[in-house]
Amino acid sequence: QLSMARVPVRSFAAADSLRRLGIDLAAVRRRPDGSLIAEVVVSARDRTLLASRGWDVEDLPAPAAVAEMEARRAALGPAGLSV
């Protein structure tokens, strides 16, 4: 299962380090305080890898529309996966 997460980074070079680890980088954004945050797509394995190397991984909440679609798909069961 893949999910979106935030990882604080010190520089754009540090974001490249995430890429070299095989982490899918969606964006690097500057916070109002000037620090950088990387938005990444991670699996459970990726989270373990990042934690073992000292990176802090914070879940990014799913947008409301995505959460509604997931709830609908769960309610419909297998029929929710067909087109």
Side-chain angles (χ1 to χ4, degrees):
Q1 174 96 14
L2 298 176
S3 62
M4 291 291 295
R6 289 184 184 127
V7 179
V9 292
R10 293 181 184 213
S11 65
F12 289 101
D16 279 340
S17 295
L18 291 173
R19 282 193 187 114
R20 284 192 300 274
L21 287 173
I23 304 299
D24 291 327
L25 194 61
V28 178
R29 302 184 193 282
R30 190 170 301 279
R31 290 181 172 174
D33 66 2
S35 64
L36 296 173
I37 193 84
E39 294 179 357
V40 297
V41 180
V42 292
S43 65
R45 180 193 147 280
D46 295 334
R47 285 177 183 277
T48 303
L49 174 68
L50 290 171
S52 72
R53 294 180 180 236
W55 295 88
D56 293 326
V57 181
E58 173 190 332
D59 285 331
L60 235 162
V66 172
E68 289 173 14
M69 287 175 25
E70 289 294 326
R72 180 177 183 274
R73 186 177 356 202
L76 290 173
L81 299 175
S82 62
V83 177

